Amino acid sequence: MSYSNESIAGLVRPDSVHKSVYTDPEIFQLEMDRIYGHAWIYAGHESQVPKVGDYHTTRIGDQDVIMVRGVDNKVHVLYNRCPHKGAMLVARGDGNAGKFFRCPYHAWTFKLDGSHLAAPIRRGFEGTRFDPASPEFSMRALARVENYRGFVFASQAAEGPSLSDFLGGVRSSIDNLCDRSPEGEVEVAGGVFKVMQPSNWKVFYENLHDTMHANVTHESSYTSAREQAEAYGSMPLELHIMDGNGEPYDFWEKLSLMAFDYGHGYMEGIFNPGAIETDPVTRSHFESLEAAYGRERALAILGENRHNTIIYGSGSPHTVFQQFRVIRPISVDRTMVEIQTFRLKGAPEAIFKRGLMYANLINSPSSNVMPDDIELYGRCQQGNQTRGGDWVSQHRYAGTDKPIEGGMTSINGTSELPMRNQFQAWKQYMLGEI
């Protein structure tokens, strides 16, 4: 079917959404244009392209793009396409282009900002419309590119809110992640996990702040963690971070959920990696921050404990364990998740190793936790393709959300406010209202 604005609006109710938003390929293609074609989307971190000519390939929605460090030392984001025959300029992955891009098909070359440099045997173009100064014969850059504290975002739309305004209330999560470095900077390090999930991209965003699922979906992992802790006679951090999912409902009900414009939000942390007074790793981290910022500021930085932050359309930074789960839609029922781990520049090496440990135990393809989620995401995708019903419930604490500057907050940590907020933004994007 062809969707009118009226029919799109009818897919989202105040307390539920129609299952077709997860299963209809036509809706998926509209999302690629109306959401990913307009919003600011995380392209990568500047540390992934440290030297002139370094490039990192990624996707903005359904578009293959290249993030590259130019001779001006700025980071550019270009569509991965040669304007001659349309070939991808570079294969997917990372590398260094040298001083220019060279198409492997016919050797057209382009400066690192995408502008046309040369084409072989120029006399063959005499008397034609070919003009190397015309944008038609250059690699096309995305309409807007901005860098916030090293995090590079790009938008395919020439107009719209600034990146700072777009991020709004979740800027503070990026700030806290960077401020945990005594130098105020982070860098991608330790490799990147990639996990293909058999589900629609929106399912993962909803689950990130779904506090009702943890002690049900992850029962096997937290039960095993508790059994091992009993055998050890203690609960080391490696087990503690799995045990946290098994907290009773009254624990989750007390958590704060924040929801902001454009579908963003964050939730309060569910555990602390260690107290300054008793944990030597945290203590050494605190001392490095205290030397850089002073005691009061260092305490404030480590005292800001958030679990998952949602930057809608891009993914989820986790400040305490310095990582970013980047969410890339592939098709209506396939989603690629890339887990980037960051080193806090100037912080003790033990902090970086702790971040790697968390990524391995919680988010890697071989973890004891992520497979639980992926199994359920797939079941949601499959179940929503049956004739067993048409609507997906978002009723928990509907109508009780409290307004805050730039968004809403929940009265209960098990509220489905984050899901409702995401679909309010989804609806606005799909109707062309933002």
Side-chain angles (χ1 to χ4, degrees):
M1 65 175 290
S2 295
Y3 286 92
S4 64
N5 277 7
E6 182 180 6
S7 60
I8 289 174
L11 298 175
V12 180
R13 295 172 174 172
D15 54 14
S16 51
V17 296
H18 196 272
K19 67 181 184 182
S20 60
V21 302
Y22 307 101
T23 61
D24 191 329
E26 184 176 345
I27 288 180
F28 178 83
Q29 289 305 317
L30 288 174
E31 292 170 342
M32 296 303 99
D33 176 48
R34 300 183 185 184
I35 300 178
Y36 285 88
H38 289 80
W40 287 102
I41 306 297
Y42 176 62
H45 193 268
E46 65 177 6
S47 64
Q48 294 175 286
V49 288
K51 297 181 296 185
V52 171
D54 283 351
Y55 65 82
H56 169 73
T57 65
T58 186
R59 288 169 66 88
I60 303 292
D62 58 355
Q63 301 295 302
D64 286 297
V65 302
I66 307 167
M67 184 177 73
V68 59
R69 175 81 64 174
V71 294
D72 55 2
N73 206 37
K74 294 181 180 179
V75 177
H76 304 270
V77 181
L78 312 169
Y79 292 100
N80 194 354
R81 177 186 184 272
C82 175
H84 180 212
K85 296 294 184 182
M88 292 176 67
L89 260 294
V90 297
R92 293 186 179 97
D94 297 349
N96 185 282
K99 296 180 179 180
F100 54 83
F101 288 109
R102 179 181 183 272
C103 181
Y105 198 5
H106 295 94
W108 281 33
T109 55
F110 308 90
K111 297 177 183 178
L112 296 176
D113 64 1
S115 58
H116 185 94
L117 182 60
I121 316 180
R122 290 283 290 275
R123 63 180 178 273
F125 297 108
E126 293 173 356
T128 72
R129 223 173 34 82
F130 175 80
D131 178 4
S134 169
E136 181 180 351
F137 301 102
S138 291
M139 295 174 66
R140 183 174 295 177
L142 273 72
R144 293 182 294 160
V145 178
E146 288 192 31
N147 181 327
Y148 187 77
R149 299 198 68 171
F151 292 81
V152 179
F153 290 79
S155 172
Q156 299 185 72
E159 297 181 354
S162 68
L163 176 60
S164 181
D165 288 344
F166 171 78
L167 292 173
V170 296
R171 280 199 316 271
S172 57
S173 290
I174 296 178
D175 288 336
N176 185 249
L177 174 56
C178 295
D179 291 345
R180 285 173 177 260
S181 157
E183 299 177 18
E185 295 182 357
V186 300
E187 59 184 352
V188 176
V192 176
F193 288 127
K194 293 186 178 182
V195 181
M196 186 69 76
Q197 300 182 348
S199 52
N200 187 267
W201 63 275
K202 298 184 290 297
V203 175
F204 193 6
Y205 280 100
E206 295 177 46
N207 190 71
L208 286 166
H209 289 178
D210 184 339
T211 58
M212 287 294 293
H213 88 283
N215 64 10
V216 180
T217 301
H218 300 298
E219 183 176 6
S220 60
S221 58
Y222 73 71
T223 298
S224 296
R226 290 173 179 178
E227 290 174 351
Q228 288 192 24
E230 185 175 354
Y232 292 156
S234 65
M235 178 71 77
L237 181 60
E238 291 84 349
L239 298 179
H240 177 55
I241 59 178
M242 288 188 282
D243 175 64
N245 283 317
E247 296 287 357
Y249 286 127
D250 60 359
F251 169 86
W252 302 100
E253 287 185 302
K254 295 173 184 175
L255 293 180
S256 295
L257 297 173
M258 312 296 284
F260 300 105
D261 294 340
Y262 304 107
H264 312 320
Y266 63 78
M267 66 178 287
E268 185 180 354
I270 62 175
F271 50 76
N272 198 308
I276 295 171
E277 297 79 10
T278 58
D279 178 61
V281 174
T282 303
R283 180 67 188 178
S284 64
H285 188 196
F286 169 74
E287 289 172 350
S288 70
L289 294 176
E290 184 179 30
Y293 303 124
R295 181 177 180 81
E296 184 176 348
R297 177 69 179 136
L299 288 171
I301 291 170
L302 293 185
E304 190 169 284
N305 186 7
R306 296 178 184 177
H307 193 51
N308 296 323
T309 292
I310 290 173
I311 303 177
Y312 194 63
S314 290
S316 177
H318 194 304
T319 59
V320 176
F321 290 103
Q322 65 264 13
Q323 63 180 262
F324 198 137
R325 281 182 284 179
V326 185
I327 303 172
R328 303 295 190 202
I330 303 299
S331 65
V332 70
D333 59 358
R334 293 177 71 222
T335 301
M336 175 65 77
V337 179
E338 302 176 1
I339 297 92
Q340 299 177 354
T341 304
F342 293 86
R343 175 181 278 112
L344 308 178
K345 292 185 178 181
E349 185 66 11
I351 292 295
F352 176 59
K353 290 181 178 179
R354 191 167 69 184
L356 290 179
M357 177 272 291
Y358 182 87
N360 276 289
L361 288 181
I362 304 299
N363 294 324
S364 77
S366 60
S367 82
N368 292 329
V369 178
M370 178 181 276
D372 296 336
D373 290 315
I374 294 176
E375 169 71 15
L376 269 298
Y377 301 159
R379 290 195 188 193
C380 289
Q381 195 69 30
Q382 294 162 6
N384 278 325
Q385 295 180 70
T386 73
R387 297 189 180 94
D390 291 332
W391 292 91
V392 175
S393 170
Q394 297 176 349
H395 289 80
R396 285 194 65 82
Y397 289 96
T400 68
D401 310 321
K402 295 182 177 181
I404 58 173
E405 183 178 356
M408 307 285 285
T409 186
S410 66
I411 67 167
N412 186 289
T414 65
S415 171
E416 289 176 312
L417 163 64
M419 299 75 167
R420 294 189 291 269
N421 182 62
Q422 289 168 30
F423 272 100
Q424 176 62 28
W426 182 92
K427 182 176 176 180
Q428 290 177 305
Y429 275 118
M430 295 292 280
L431 298 179
E433 296 174 357
I434 56 176

